[in-house]
Amino acid sequence: MNPQELFATLEQKYQLPQGYLARVYQAESSGGKNLYNEDSGAAGPFQFMPRTAQSMGLKDPYDLTQSAEAAARLAAQNRAYLQK
């Protein structure tokens, strides 16, 4: 599955706006070009910090499918929190 298909599937699953994950992917890692931030320690296509990755159950932050799924779950959790 290509990234756009993956993102669209996850956006639908987690009820996120269409194109949301692609925008985050681009902003966080320049579309997968910068997978590690030495200054902060953020890693992977969605730039997860180690503690956040662990709390989201993300085993391999460099795996696009795992990272995108965790990013989608995190966005859905944040949306639910903000709606309270």
Side-chain angles (χ1 to χ4, degrees), residues 10-79:
L10 292 169
E11 288 162 354
Q12 185 174 24
K13 178 179 178 180
Y14 291 100
Q15 300 176 342
L16 300 172
Q18 184 178 12
Y20 174 81
L21 290 173
R23 290 189 300 273
V24 173
Y25 179 57
Q26 186 62 39
E28 293 294 345
S29 69
S30 298
K33 294 177 186 160
N34 300 314
L35 296 178
Y36 185 70
N37 183 320
E38 190 172 330
D39 293 333
S40 70
F46 284 88
Q47 293 293 290
F48 277 94
M49 295 296 290
R51 280 182 150 177
T52 305
Q54 183 179 18
S55 74
M56 296 305 298
L58 180 55
K59 303 258 188 265
D60 181 0
Y62 294 99
D63 179 272
L64 180 60
T65 301
Q66 288 182 38
S67 190
E69 176 87 28
R73 273 196 332 272
L74 182 60
Q77 287 177 4
N78 288 341
R79 180 189 64 234

